[in-house]
Amino acid sequence: MNDVNAYIGLSAVLFTIGAIGVLTRRNAIVVFMCVELMLNACNLALVAFAHQHGNLDGQVAAFFVMVVAAAEVVVGLAIIMTIFRTRRSASVDDASLLKY
Amino acid sequence: MSITFWLLSAIIVPAALGILFVRKAVHAALLLAAVMISLAIIYLTLEAPFLFAVQIIVYTGAIMMLFLFVVMLVGVDASDSVVETIRGQRWLAWTAGVVLGALLLVGVAQISLGTMVGLDAANSGGNIEGLADLLFSRYVLLFEVTAALLITAAVGAMVLAHRERLEPKPTQASMAAQRVRDFSETGRPLVPLPSPGVYARHNAVDTPALLPDGTPAEESVARVLAARGTVRSAPALADDITEVQRTLEDVDGGPAGGATGGTDQASGSGHNTENPEAGA
């Protein structure tokens, strides 16, 4: 196994765990944390590839991912709070009003 | 491949797997924080000191704190329901996830990307300077768009979290008037409730205050404690009363002991015990 492959492998494992978490967990906050885990896995791949290719573009991309993640968390948690205020529940199964 | 990477992997993968299985959101947040800090150290070994700092400050510091705030607002014990709304969804999700992971890992193992070049040349003028050069030249448009995104997110969060006030804000005068009205209608006391444990031996919240006649004041302990049954029991309190009486008699000697001869009256509050001393 090559040097960078180990980092990409770890990134793939983390991404998979995050994806499974998004699909299986019911608590909206934990689902959100799993999305963060997937973003972190992508960041690890970006930084590893920056190291592999010997330039800093990957690190700049990882930085932008962090900025977008921060914005996403702010809005997402505000939405979760709003849903919790009206439904008294943070479960993603309860927010199914469009179903009926 | 450094030993640091394998050690950190041994921390990261179990912690990330734990997020899938822990019941409580707080535990998931703590495990995610562990993953993020370990990833920050991996960034350091990948010659990205700026991202190391940003990962710890922004992710572990700001984002995880935001998560914990929301967990506290929503309720710490808001755990997952185990009822499946779609039949077989959990099983299918696990299958799909494992297949995705296997696919990714096999794909990564098949390719060979050559040896790492390393960032010695790119970082020669300093990592942060190099990042700033890129950020304000090639990616400057992206940088500006990011500013717009952040402002939109801040305004959006404020709009979502804002709640219109439907009734006028209670003033001090209106609250006082309400208190008097409650007193006249339901007999709720006008003054604050007595504080617990103003007895000579205990000031803990589970010890009721003693009234001048020696009986415990029930409203001095919180209703929650009383409902849980963790209030100090009456026999223990009675033991305390006799104990304090004995010490008082020891300290005051003959005349004070004689003055406080009636045991029931002497079992009163601290005010009672001070008076004989002042007199003597």
Side-chain angles (χ1 to χ4, degrees):
Chain A
M1 213 174 186
N2 202 349
D3 263 356
V4 75
N5 284 35
Y7 289 100
I8 307 305
L10 178 62
S11 169
V13 168
L14 283 183
F15 190 89
T16 310
I17 293 173
I20 295 176
V22 169
L23 290 175
T24 53
R25 296 303 299 253
R26 293 283 181 282
N27 192 332
I29 301 170
V30 181
V31 169
F32 222 5
M33 286 182 202
C34 290
V35 174
E36 292 302 311
L37 191 62
M38 290 162 82
L39 288 171
N40 267 288
C42 298
N43 270 353
L44 177 61
L46 286 170
V47 176
F49 276 126
H51 199 260
Q52 154 86 13
H53 291 293
N55 58 33
L56 291 172
D57 293 73
Q59 292 192 11
V60 174
F63 177 66
F64 279 121
V65 170
M66 283 183 188
V67 173
V68 173
E72 169 233 337
V73 160
V74 167
V75 176
L77 288 179
I79 291 174
I80 291 178
M81 279 309 301
T82 315
I83 292 176
F84 179 78
R85 219 184 266 156
T86 50
R87 305 281 166 90
R88 310 312 289 166
S89 158
S91 170
V92 286
D93 282 341
D94 291 346
S96 59
L97 202 64
L98 283 178
K99 236 168 88 179
Y100 302 106
Chain B
M1 187 53 52
S2 61
I3 193 165
T4 320
F5 173 77
W6 295 112
L7 272 178
L8 288 170
S9 302
I11 297 173
I12 288 175
V13 175
L17 276 175
I19 298 175
L20 298 183
F21 296 113
V22 291
R23 284 275 130 224
K24 289 186 174 170
V26 179
H27 297 166
L30 287 178
L31 288 170
L32 190 58
V35 170
M36 283 171 174
I37 291 176
S38 308
L39 277 178
I41 300 171
I42 286 189
Y43 293 165
L44 205 57
T45 65
L46 284 171
E47 298 177 71
F50 179 66
L51 285 181
F52 161 76
V54 171
Q55 172 86 5
I56 287 186
I57 293 170
V58 174
Y59 258 122
T60 324
I63 294 185
M64 290 318 296
M65 283 311 112
L66 207 57
F67 268 114
L68 286 178
F69 266 126
V70 173
V71 167
M72 282 188 263
L73 284 172
V74 166
V76 176
D77 55 357
S79 48
D80 265 352
S81 69
V82 286
V83 185
E84 280 189 319
T85 41
I86 308 169
R87 271 196 56 210
Q89 188 253 354
R90 201 172 290 253
W91 182 81
L92 276 174
W94 270 98
T95 313
V98 170
V99 168
L100 169 72
L103 204 64
L104 284 173
L105 281 179
V106 168
V108 169
Q110 297 261 319
I111 52 172
S112 63
L113 292 156
T115 51
M116 278 189 170
V117 176
L119 287 170
D120 290 334
N123 274 351
S124 55
N127 177 254
I128 298 174
E129 285 85 348
L131 281 177
D133 274 347
L134 272 179
L135 205 57
F136 293 113
S137 59
R138 194 185 303 170
Y139 297 104
V140 69
L141 186 66
L142 210 54
F143 187 72
E144 299 290 340
V145 174
T146 308
L149 174 78
L150 282 177
I151 289 178
T152 316
V155 172
M158 276 192 275
V159 168
L160 282 170
H162 178 71
R163 224 180 335 184
E164 208 65 49
R165 183 177 281 284
L166 297 174
E167 53 203 24
K169 194 177 178 185
T171 61
Q172 206 170 8
S174 73
M175 282 192 284
Q178 179 67 38
R179 204 172 296 142
V180 173
R181 213 175 306 127
D182 283 350
F183 175 66
S184 62
E185 284 167 6
T186 64
R188 242 185 89 205
L190 272 174
V191 292
L193 293 172
S195 51
V198 285
Y199 188 57
R201 303 196 65 211
H202 295 282
N203 55 3
V205 288
D206 64 341
T207 312
L210 287 188
L211 297 173
D213 61 349
T215 54
E218 273 170 26
E219 65 268 26
S220 66
V221 283
R223 262 184 311 145
V224 179
L225 290 179
R228 279 192 202 145
T230 50
V231 177
R232 219 172 142 72
S233 65
L237 208 59
D239 287 349
D240 282 344
I241 292 168
T242 50
E243 175 87 6
V244 168
Q245 275 165 11
R246 218 174 28 247
T247 38
L248 278 178
E249 278 162 16
D250 287 350
V251 169
D252 292 345
T260 57
T263 48
D264 275 331
Q265 290 95 324
S267 65
S269 62
H271 306 291
N272 263 355
T273 60
E274 277 168 16
N275 283 339
E277 272 189 332

